[in-house]
Amino acid sequence: AGLFVSSHNVRGKSITEIKQEIRSLQSLRQQQGLPPLWIATDQEGGIVSRLSPPLVRQPSLSDIVERHSDVSEREKAVRLYARVQGQGLADLGINLNFAPVVDVNYQLVNPRDLFTRIHQRAISRDPAVVAQVAEWYCAALEETGVRCTLKHFPGLGRVYEDTHTDEATLKAALADLNDTDWVPFHALMKGSEAFTMLGHVRLKSMDAETPASFSSAIVSDLIRGYWKYDGVLITDNFTMQAVYRSAFGIDEASIRALNAG
């Protein structure tokens, strides 16, 4: 079981107050003989920094990449960035971060895209760079006791629509995705303890009707079956319009997501 802590949960509260609230919840779990809660947040850095304030706002990972062209210097900078971020989160009692964004940056800009804005959040337009930076980030974050989350499978970099407000379809061929957008997912889902977040885009080549977040073809057949991935899958927010206003609605989508695996 777990909780998601967002900006409205911490607005006006001090670090001490937030720590005490989370500690009291974990204490209840312990008294009940249950495992600790996953306490999650969305602290990517840059424009998505739900706990800033009270935590210091960091730049995005793409900013770190752009500042350091030398690979060894880039690795040092990314790992330091992740440790600073992880220590701040861990001090609050957060043990799961919904980062990094491993969507490939295709520089798609939609003037009506109010919230997703992958072109501002993605690490790089090079899948290999995305995979490498994400690997460094996750490893350093885990050193602080905070787990990372890869998002948003099957990839939002090629998607023009904003799934917060619209339905969206990813039309790329599977072979193309396998060689590009899925490179970071393949690398990190095999070699780390990362969670993987499923987005609400429909993958046309596999299931043109159902968003990936609750598609049996994608979750059960592809990820659990063909890829044999048995790690934790988590959906993106089901109050986004691509789910909430879909023909399935939030209730049926939730049941389908669980049944899919």
Side-chain angles (χ1 to χ4, degrees):
L3 300 169
F4 174 67
V5 183
S6 192
S7 54
H8 67 274
N9 302 122
V10 302
R11 190 172 292 121
K13 296 177 183 176
S14 67
I15 287 176
T16 300
E17 288 172 323
I18 299 165
K19 287 171 64 173
Q20 288 174 342
E21 287 186 7
I22 293 174
R23 191 179 296 123
S24 69
L25 293 169
Q26 294 290 27
S27 178
L28 286 172
R29 292 284 288 185
Q30 188 174 27
Q31 291 168 23
Q32 295 165 350
L34 297 170
L37 291 162
W38 286 107
I39 308 290
T41 195
D42 221 352
Q43 190 78 355
E44 297 172 13
I47 62 172
V48 179
S49 301
R50 307 299 185 206
L51 302 191
S52 299
L55 298 182
V56 174
R57 185 182 298 271
Q58 293 175 288
S60 65
L61 277 171
S62 61
D63 289 339
I64 304 298
V65 170
E66 289 171 7
R67 287 182 210 165
H68 300 278
S69 57
D70 178 79
V71 175
S72 61
E73 290 301 315
R74 178 179 289 174
E75 179 179 1
K76 290 177 185 176
V78 169
R79 288 183 181 273
L80 176 60
Y81 173 98
R83 289 190 195 101
V84 169
Q85 188 178 80
Q87 287 165 1
L89 294 173
D91 188 49
L92 288 175
I94 305 290
N95 52 25
L96 174 63
N97 193 19
F98 292 158
V101 172
V102 296
D103 303 300
V104 176
N105 193 351
Y106 290 93
Q107 293 293 320
L108 287 183
V109 180
N110 174 1
R112 295 178 60 241
D113 179 358
L114 301 178
F115 305 105
T116 300
R117 293 187 285 177
I118 294 299
H119 68 283
Q120 292 180 284
R121 298 161 61 196
I123 293 169
S124 171
R125 64 182 64 194
D126 184 339
V129 171
V130 175
Q132 189 174 58
V133 169
E135 183 178 354
W136 295 333
Y137 171 86
C138 286
L141 199 72
E142 286 180 17
E143 290 173 7
T144 68
V146 181
R147 196 77 63 89
C148 72
T149 307
L150 313 173
K151 62 187 191 184
H152 312 77
F153 189 85
L156 295 180
R158 302 171 186 258
V159 179
Y160 185 74
E161 295 82 7
D162 178 0
T163 52
H164 292 79
T165 56
D166 294 296
E167 294 182 342
T169 298
L170 177 57
K171 300 175 182 178
L174 292 182
D176 193 10
L177 290 169
N178 210 50
D179 292 339
T180 53
D181 300 58
W182 291 355
V183 168
F185 290 102
H186 278 306
L188 275 295
M189 288 168 76
K190 290 178 182 177
S192 77
E193 295 295 320
F195 285 33
T196 299
M197 181 181 288
L198 305 171
H200 304 320
V201 65
R202 294 171 300 213
L203 181 54
K204 185 177 181 180
S205 56
M206 290 199 69
D207 187 345
E209 303 298 324
T210 314
S213 50
F214 53 99
S215 165
S216 290
I218 292 169
V219 178
S220 182
D221 298 345
L222 177 66
I223 300 176
R224 298 298 193 196
Y226 187 67
W227 287 10
K228 300 189 185 307
Y229 177 71
D230 64 354
V232 178
L233 296 174
I234 187 165
T235 72
D236 207 345
N237 189 346
F238 265 20
T239 65
M240 291 162 63
Q241 298 298 296
V243 175
Y244 187 73
R245 294 293 184 190
S246 74
F248 304 94
I250 214 169
D251 48 0
E252 186 178 346
S254 299
I255 294 166
R256 285 180 178 234
L258 292 169
N259 288 340

